[in-house]
Amino acid sequence: MVLHFFFFFFMFAYKPKPTPKPLLCLPQQLSSLDQIKQSHAQIIVLGQTNNGKLMSHLLASLALSQSALALHYSLAIYRSFTHPSVFVTNNMIRCFAKSESPRQTITLYSLILRKIDAKPNNHTFTFVFQACCKALALFEGAQIHAHVVKLGFGCDVFIRNALINFYYGSCGLECSRRVFEENSHVRDLVTWNTMLACFVRDGQIGVAENMFDEMPERDVVSWSTMVMGYVQNGYLEEALDCFRAVTNTGLRLNEAILVSVLSVSAQLGLLDRGKLVHSLVYSMNFPITASLGTSLIDMYAKCGCIEESKLLFDSMRRKEVWTWNVMICGLAAHGLAKEALKLFEEFIDKGFAPASVTFVGVLSGCSRAGVVREGRHYFKLMRESYGIEPEMEHYGCMVDLLSRSGLVDEAIDLIENMKISPDPVLWATVLGACKLHGHIELGEKIGKKLIQLDPNHGGHYVQLSGVYAKARKWEEVVRVRRLMSERNTNKAVGWSLIEAQGKVHKFVAGDRDHERVAEIYKMLELITTLVAKTGYTPNISSVLHDIGEEEKETVIIEHSERLAIAYGLLVTGVGDCIRVVKNLRVCEDCHEVTKIISKVFEREIIVRDGSRFHHFKEGKCSCHDFW
Ligand code: ZN
Ligand code: ZN
């Protein structure tokens, strides 16, 4: 009754704008909840509420609706049937299956068996298994599986596909594999794709690869499952190869593939690859959804083109919280703190609720710009106004900000009063500041503490020796270095990437594996000569350098980014920008030399290191030597 009143009210109080397409003629199209309600109102006005066919189509539309409010509405309609058909009941089951109360599906299913004349059909089971998977109802699902066999649906391919999925979600890979292998003649493309997705989700990429090769046919879903699988399991280069292969098949790509490849481009800083995906999006007339748009913004930001990101962000009609977060973090990573904070304020004004990661963007922006007052304000705001407890990354930004600004005591105070146990990296940050600001005694104390906390981390020894070097305590420097080699500390492998001529080239320090190794080393010699002409002399002993932990044993001039830059100078055209991505922090000497290269060779060089961008141009770096 309430429902009816509502619709009469709706009809009279609200003149529908252009006449909505009535459900009467297009029952199963995907309609919004408002459209469905309008059609319902028409049914009421036309006195057709007893028309079982119309009402069941109304319910079918509700089963397809994305709205969370549809469930109660559907239930009210379902209850208006005295003898619901199997079609009607299946649609109600479907509503429950996708709702937040999937267990209700099982109740309704048992009701069909007990009371309703309608016997379940193959559609019933597909929805029921979806619900059992969501509700993790293994016991119930297995019983229903028995019904399937008893009622003679054991060879129905739709049901078997639903079973593979159900068993994977509730019982694990082995159970779903058994269903897959049990009946090899009842398989279609969806069966293969479902099993493939199970292997990928389980991290079994090798098995998935074999299966992919074995598949009798493949569609875009099969390909996107593989590309996503590679990305999610960290096989980024394989993901790119797979992407290249799918573009050659002539299949129309789907959003999942595009988003996955954009994420690889972002992670590895491969601008050319990212741009290629962007141009594909254009040429295919692909709609820029929130997810695709956000991935593009992220890719451009992480590849050093923040201007492109801004343009895309401004042109996006539908932005989600995630979109704003990516843009704020992107601006912050480029040192554009003012813009990041302005955007954050806009975000709040629009009524969005910031998440933990939003504040990582805001605080890292503050720390990179060295704005202490703002940093303190937002750190406080996060806890007091939004109830977000700071995590390690937030503390990391604050400690970095305070340390760099010389407020070492405040930074130490913050670490000592943390609610979670501090990551040694925080102390390492303070130690870096001690070196920068010449607090030798404090640095010595923290350095020793760090080595005690984490004796296998080579970086701490390097930092402590750096503090001693600054105080010109050479004997101490030698002692710490010796201690480090005695303990044989772990070495993270440092690498640098450069994308050129359609390929990704990866260099490690002292690399001699590249096909053009002779030319690269010749170029390095030329660089050394030209750099020396400007009057720059590198420190004689590499021991005195604050070299990244991975590369301490290699001569500085052969650090991975120098090899990448040398290669870049060889293969790119005059005036082209050289873009390098490095996994670890750039060392001081490489930073200095890259500045000089940018001037001598008249090239813009953009290096993305472990935490930030360095735009080298005309002998200067955008980080103002502060990183
Ligand atoms: Zn270096
Ligand atoms: Zn820099």
Side-chain angles (χ1 to χ4, degrees):
M1 195 55 220
V2 176
L3 209 62
H4 282 213
F5 170 75
F6 172 70
F7 285 112
F8 277 114
F9 171 78
F10 183 77
M11 284 301 288
F12 294 114
Y14 189 85
K15 282 211 175 101
K17 289 167 269 173
T19 328
K21 259 194 188 151
L23 264 163
L24 309 180
C25 43
L26 280 170
Q28 290 231 19
Q29 66 173 339
L30 193 59
S31 321
S32 73
L33 191 58
D34 279 347
Q35 285 171 315
I36 297 172
K37 283 180 175 175
Q38 285 178 17
S39 299
H40 191 184
Q42 284 180 326
I43 293 175
I44 297 167
V45 171
L46 296 169
Q48 292 290 320
T49 46
N50 286 329
N51 184 331
K53 206 172 168 195
L54 279 182
M55 292 305 279
S56 57
H57 283 154
L58 194 68
L59 190 62
S61 294
L62 280 165
L64 291 172
S65 158
Q66 303 293 321
S67 167
L69 299 168
L71 184 66
H72 294 291
Y73 187 16
S74 318
L75 199 57
I77 292 181
Y78 181 69
R79 286 183 176 144
S80 72
F81 287 91
T82 355
H83 298 290
S85 66
V86 66
F87 175 71
V88 170
T89 310
N90 282 349
N91 278 309
M92 193 59 231
I93 285 184
R94 191 174 191 177
C95 291
F96 276 131
K98 63 176 182 154
S99 75
E100 290 308 305
S101 27
R103 273 192 176 268
Q104 298 278 3
T105 312
I106 304 167
T107 317
L108 189 57
Y109 170 74
S110 69
L111 193 76
I112 317 182
L113 295 186
R114 280 184 287 123
K115 284 195 180 160
I116 304 169
D117 310 334
K119 289 271 168 284
N121 64 13
N122 55 348
H123 297 293
T124 318
F125 290 112
T126 18
F127 301 136
V128 171
F129 286 125
Q130 272 173 24
C132 289
C133 181
K134 200 168 165 192
L136 295 177
L138 174 63
F139 187 61
E140 293 84 345
Q143 287 182 68
I144 300 168
H145 186 181
H147 288 182
V148 167
V149 178
K150 242 166 73 179
L151 294 169
F153 289 113
C155 286
D156 184 286
V157 71
F158 295 105
I159 300 181
R160 298 197 68 80
N161 296 345
L163 273 170
I164 294 175
N165 221 354
F166 155 68
Y167 278 118
Y168 180 78
S170 55
C171 172
L173 188 68
E174 260 325 294
C175 297
S176 51
R177 195 214 289 253
R178 279 218 306 260
V179 180
F180 177 76
E181 282 170 1
E182 185 184 55
N183 228 341
S184 61
H185 57 279
V186 193
R187 284 178 188 164
D188 65 2
L189 185 54
V190 179
T191 323
W192 285 92
N193 281 344
T194 312
M195 197 61 231
L196 188 71
C198 294
F199 284 121
V200 161
R201 274 153 74 193
D202 215 58
Q204 300 207 26
I205 285 294
V207 185
E209 273 174 343
N210 291 339
M211 186 164 183
F212 184 76
D213 292 338
E214 256 176 54
M215 285 174 76
E217 55 171 328
R218 303 179 194 112
D219 64 356
V220 70
V221 177
S222 333
W223 285 95
S224 70
T225 305
M226 279 317 287
V227 175
M228 270 194 300
Y230 282 130
V231 176
Q232 281 160 9
N233 290 284
Y235 298 100
L236 303 183
E237 281 149 50
E238 285 80 355
L240 292 180
D241 290 340
C242 193
F243 173 67
R244 206 170 299 127
V246 65
T247 46
N248 291 333
T249 61
L251 283 170
R252 184 179 160 84
L253 303 179
N254 62 11
E255 185 175 295
I257 294 186
L258 298 170
V259 167
S260 300
V261 177
L262 285 172
S263 114
V264 177
S265 314
Q267 287 180 60
L268 297 177
L270 307 177
L271 180 63
D272 288 350
R273 201 59 49 96
K275 274 184 173 168
L276 175 79
V277 176
H278 195 179
S279 65
L280 281 175
V281 169
Y282 267 120
S283 62
M284 289 191 302
N285 246 337
F286 221 90
I288 303 274
T289 57
S291 162
L292 195 55
T294 309
S295 303
L296 280 167
I297 293 175
D298 191 40
M299 181 278 292
Y300 278 116
K302 292 205 171 119
C303 290
C305 303
I306 193 70
E307 290 305 321
E308 282 291 331
S309 302
K310 283 197 252 177
L311 286 174
L312 271 164
F313 181 81
D314 291 339
S315 69
M316 258 171 83
R317 261 181 267 152
R318 237 190 85 223
K319 298 178 188 117
E320 292 188 355
V321 173
W322 180 45
T323 319
W324 290 81
N325 287 342
V326 161
M327 194 65 231
I328 293 172
C329 291
L331 290 169
H334 283 266
L336 301 166
K338 252 192 205 153
E339 286 180 56
L341 297 181
K342 198 172 144 243
L343 197 66
F344 174 74
E345 293 300 338
E346 208 182 311
F347 171 80
I348 298 296
D349 287 346
K350 289 216 185 302
F352 286 112
S356 178
V357 58
T358 324
F359 281 101
V360 173
V362 169
L363 295 175
S364 70
C366 294
S367 105
R368 285 191 184 132
V371 287
V372 179
R373 201 166 50 92
E374 286 84 348
R376 284 191 193 121
H377 163 73
Y378 286 111
F379 191 65
K380 199 168 155 218
L381 186 82
M382 170 173 95
R383 282 180 299 177
E384 292 176 4
S385 303
Y386 296 101
I388 299 172
E389 272 307 311
E391 292 170 32
M392 203 57 76
E393 282 152 308
H394 304 111
Y395 281 117
C397 296
M398 282 310 286
V399 168
D400 194 59
L401 169 61
L402 295 169
S403 309
R404 285 178 195 289
S405 314
L407 302 164
V408 176
D409 290 336
E410 197 179 331
I412 294 177
D413 203 45
L414 184 68
I415 300 178
E416 285 177 342
N417 289 307
M418 274 169 65
K419 288 191 180 152
I420 42 180
S421 101
D423 190 311
V425 170
L426 299 185
W427 286 114
T429 307
V430 181
L431 179 56
C434 290
K435 189 189 142 203
L436 188 73
H437 299 286
H439 303 305
I440 306 305
E441 264 172 50
L442 190 58
E444 197 177 339
K445 215 171 94 188
I446 297 172
K448 283 180 179 165
K449 184 174 173 164
L450 263 172
I451 290 174
Q452 222 175 24
L453 276 175
D454 199 357
N456 290 323
H457 194 294
H460 303 329
Y461 297 84
V462 176
Q463 267 194 314
L464 180 59
S465 70
V467 172
Y468 285 131
K470 183 122 181 176
R472 314 192 77 76
K473 292 186 173 178
W474 308 123
E475 281 163 26
E476 289 296 315
V477 171
V478 174
R479 191 182 61 77
V480 174
R481 288 281 169 173
R482 197 176 297 141
L483 196 64
M484 178 168 78
S485 57
E486 276 167 18
R487 292 193 182 164
N488 199 15
T489 55
N490 60 347
K491 292 166 216 151
V493 181
W495 48 254
S496 295
L497 287 183
I498 180 166
E499 205 182 10
Q501 296 168 329
K503 265 170 79 182
V504 178
H505 304 262
K506 191 171 185 174
F507 294 93
V508 295
D511 208 326
R512 285 187 164 66
D513 287 341
H514 196 275
E515 53 191 17
R516 294 179 68 177
V517 60
E519 290 165 88
I520 293 173
Y521 278 86
K522 254 212 173 99
M523 179 57 85
L524 277 183
E525 274 173 34
L526 177 68
I527 292 173
T528 313
T529 322
L530 292 179
V531 166
K533 273 193 186 156
T534 66
Y536 177 75
T537 44
N539 272 323
I540 302 148
S541 165
S542 71
V543 166
L544 306 184
H545 278 269
D546 180 12
I547 303 166
E549 67 236 52
E550 84 296 353
E551 287 173 347
K552 57 183 174 282
E553 280 162 9
T554 319
V555 203
I556 300 170
I557 65 155
E558 293 178 12
H559 278 178
S560 62
E561 65 267 49
R562 297 222 196 165
L563 296 172
I565 292 171
Y567 182 65
L569 286 171
L570 274 178
V571 295
T572 56
V574 178
D576 282 355
C577 172
I578 296 175
R579 295 167 188 275
V580 173
V581 175
K582 184 178 164 69
N583 63 335
L584 301 168
R585 193 174 163 266
V586 176
C587 84
E588 276 175 35
D589 197 66
C590 288
H591 193 266
E592 207 50 43
V593 169
T594 311
K595 285 199 297 194
I596 302 172
I597 296 175
S598 74
K599 191 172 181 185
V600 175
F601 288 83
E602 293 177 5
R603 289 293 193 104
E604 197 179 338
I605 302 171
I606 299 180
V607 178
R608 186 183 96 182
D609 76 358
S611 68
R612 69 175 57 235
F613 280 97
H614 301 269
H615 288 244
F616 296 95
K617 204 178 168 184
E618 292 162 7
K620 288 194 190 102
C621 180
S622 62
C623 75
H624 304 293
D625 302 337
F626 206 57
W627 80 98

